[in-house]
Amino acid sequence: MLFGTSENDEDRSRVEIKAKGVDMESQKDLELAEKEQALPLEIQEKRRKGILRTGFTTGTSATAATKAALIALLSQKFVNYVSVSLPKGGIMNISIVNTTKEQYSVTAAVIKDAGDDPDVTDRAEICSTVSLTNKVGIISIDGGKGVGRVTKPGLGIEIGKSAINPSPTKMIERAVSEVAAERLKDHGVKVVISVPRGEEIAKKTDNPRLGIIGGISILGTTGIVYPYSTASFAAAIRQALDVAQAMGDQYVVLTTGGRSEDFAKELFDDALPEHCFVQMGDFAGYSIRQCALKRIQKATIAGFIGKLTKMSMGIKQTHVRGSHVDMEFMAQVASECYPRVSMSILEEIRKANTARHVSEIITTHKITGFFDLICKKVYEHMLEYLKGGLQLEVIMFDFDGKVSGQFPRGAS
């Protein structure tokens, strides 16, 4: 059953109510993952003691740099710190590492600090160059070197504009208004955000896939980076689905990581554009709920035996503590295969070290249907979890990139 649009208002209301239910369940998925994720031991200990260090976003960095540069431009004072108003209330004090003055402009720089979060933009230099214009009362904000440009729809930013998201844009506008309220009565202010290493850093992000070219995005809904929060990963999944939908594509391939994505791209060859491949990581349940919420018509889940086995056991967030592959479960799956699997092989599976080890046992003994059955159980659990609303397919790769299992068979 697919979500559809109806000319009947009552039908449309039912769809909207269902979508709200899916969204609430998605939030529960994230809360579970946030609470139960498997973290490095050092981070677990810091979390237990309540001493995980928060950081600040690229948006907060850009705002602080803008404020410092504008103060220097208008008052000739070079400051070491500025206070930034955060989108959801509160103030953050940010250190300014460098300020330089040209004839008609000033540039200030901030080093982005992600706290204890493993953020690829951590320690990146975020710069803002400000100058006055003749456009009275107008605050113009653009991206310079190292800030990406939007080339695809679905990102909430007009194509051709710099990838400075709405929340940071509002933060920068507020900072400019705070500092230059009087000057805006007879001038405008131009702000250009740049990131010297932005193009290099962007290669480690999803920006190229999403059609953001030439650098990183200036982001941050709250202005604060919360260490090991699932929010940023979840936002990346939603954004990727939004781009696919905005490009008119209703079929996505959800992969568990970079390697499975590479194999999926080879499998589909040129049948799907790159933006249709979405790395869901461990967030299988969340990702398919989002597909349904956004009315994507079909999704293929693609991965290897380990994570697919966890999903076939009914685990929707495959990185949570305790989500280990159960060898007894895998032996049970093998016992459902035909022809009948001997007790000695089942015992060998029970004693296996890893899911990969089990796959080697299955292959060695030429047990047919095992990998397809794992895929079928993933399909059934995910469809039950979703309560309909999405055409689904599950593909398992072996470690050489060949399709070892699939359900439904021949669906692609």
Side-chain angles (χ1 to χ4, degrees):
M1 178 174 62
L2 297 177
F3 276 138
T5 55
S6 170
E7 295 300 317
N8 185 289
D9 288 340
E10 186 176 339
D11 289 344
R12 187 158 48 245
S13 296
R14 280 197 292 266
V15 170
E16 289 172 355
I17 290 169
K18 184 171 184 178
K20 288 178 182 177
V22 170
D23 199 32
M24 290 176 63
E25 291 300 321
S26 295
Q27 188 57 41
K28 290 178 183 177
D29 292 340
L30 289 183
E31 289 171 0
L32 170 65
E34 186 92 29
K35 190 182 300 182
E36 296 296 327
Q37 60 184 315
L39 301 174
L41 291 176
E42 176 189 358
I43 298 300
Q44 288 183 40
E45 184 64 13
K46 283 188 175 183
R47 174 175 278 186
R48 186 183 67 79
K49 293 179 178 178
I51 58 172
L52 273 178
R53 193 168 64 88
T54 60
F56 50 87
T57 63
T58 51
T60 299
S61 304
T63 303
T66 299
K67 192 169 186 178
L70 193 54
I71 290 170
L73 181 70
L74 299 182
S75 67
Q76 309 302 310
K77 294 179 181 178
F78 285 26
V79 295
N80 295 321
Y81 290 88
V82 294
S83 297
V84 172
S85 300
L86 299 176
K88 296 188 177 181
I91 300 290
M92 183 175 285
N93 294 320
I94 306 293
S95 175
I96 307 302
V97 297
N98 187 43
T99 305
T100 56
K101 189 176 187 306
E102 300 292 336
Q103 185 175 3
Y104 299 111
S105 67
V106 175
T107 299
V110 167
I111 300 299
K112 189 263 176 86
D113 183 356
D116 283 325
D117 195 67
D119 187 334
V120 297
T121 62
D122 185 40
R123 312 314 298 169
E125 184 181 17
I126 312 294
C127 303
S128 178
T129 301
V130 300
S131 57
L132 297 178
T133 73
N134 294 322
K135 299 178 179 178
V136 178
I138 301 299
I139 302 169
S140 68
I141 302 170
D142 201 357
K145 179 180 173 58
V147 174
R149 290 271 161 188
V150 174
T151 66
K152 291 182 180 180
L155 295 167
I157 301 173
E158 186 180 339
I159 290 175
K161 298 290 187 181
S162 59
I164 303 174
N165 277 25
S167 186
T169 296
K170 290 177 182 176
M171 290 178 70
I172 293 169
E173 288 172 343
R174 179 174 179 178
V176 170
S177 297
E178 289 172 354
V179 174
E182 288 301 314
R183 190 56 63 91
L184 284 168
K185 293 177 181 178
D186 51 27
H187 284 83
V189 174
K190 180 181 179 180
V191 179
V192 178
I193 307 301
S194 59
V195 183
R197 292 180 51 247
E199 193 163 1
E200 176 188 344
I201 296 169
K203 294 174 184 176
K204 302 174 185 177
T205 73
D206 274 343
N207 275 14
R209 175 204 313 270
L210 297 174
I212 300 172
I213 305 302
I216 66 168
S217 301
I218 304 301
L219 304 169
T221 303
T222 65
I224 302 170
V225 174
Y226 295 97
Y228 289 88
S229 170
T230 58
S232 59
F233 199 100
I237 292 170
R238 294 195 303 272
Q239 193 174 56
L241 294 174
D242 285 341
V243 169
Q245 189 178 48
M247 292 295 289
D249 293 292
Q250 291 298 318
Y251 179 17
V252 296
V253 179
L254 306 172
T255 62
T256 54
R259 195 174 176 202
S260 57
E261 180 180 271
D262 289 341
F263 289 154
K265 286 179 178 177
E266 289 179 20
L267 177 66
F268 286 91
D269 198 14
D270 294 327
L272 292 173
E274 185 177 17
H275 58 252
C276 289
F277 294 87
V278 179
Q279 288 191 29
M280 65 176 178
D282 298 291
F283 295 84
Y286 180 80
S287 297
I288 64 166
R289 283 200 198 278
Q290 287 298 311
C291 285
L293 185 64
K294 297 176 184 300
R295 300 186 187 180
I296 298 291
Q297 292 179 3
K298 182 180 178 181
T300 291
I301 293 174
F304 300 107
I305 188 169
K307 287 187 177 178
L308 289 185
T309 297
K310 290 181 184 182
M311 293 180 211
S312 73
M313 294 163 58
I315 297 168
K316 310 307 185 302
Q317 310 301 136
T318 57
H319 74 312
V320 299
R321 289 197 299 268
S323 65
H324 304 298
V325 173
D326 185 339
M327 298 308 167
E328 184 63 43
F329 172 83
M330 298 191 85
Q332 175 60 41
V333 174
S335 73
E336 298 174 30
C337 295
Y338 185 84
R340 186 176 178 83
V341 178
S342 69
M343 292 302 295
S344 62
I345 295 175
L346 293 179
E347 190 59 28
E348 191 178 349
I349 292 171
R350 291 187 182 98
K351 293 179 179 179
N353 295 321
T354 62
R356 182 168 185 163
H357 187 190
V358 171
S359 72
E360 292 168 357
I361 295 169
I362 297 298
T363 302
T364 298
H365 294 287
K366 298 180 180 177
I367 299 171
T368 59
F370 178 87
F371 302 119
D372 288 340
L373 190 51
I374 291 288
C375 291
K376 182 180 183 217
K377 290 180 182 293
V378 174
Y379 175 91
E380 291 171 344
H381 275 295
M382 290 298 175
L383 224 55
E384 170 61 25
Y385 185 61
L386 192 58
K387 308 297 182 187
L390 181 69
Q391 290 181 6
L392 196 61
E393 174 191 28
V394 183
I395 291 174
M396 182 189 296
F397 293 112
D398 67 17
F399 294 95
D400 294 320
K402 296 177 182 176
V403 174
S404 57
Q406 184 178 15
F407 189 87
R409 292 296 298 179
S412 287

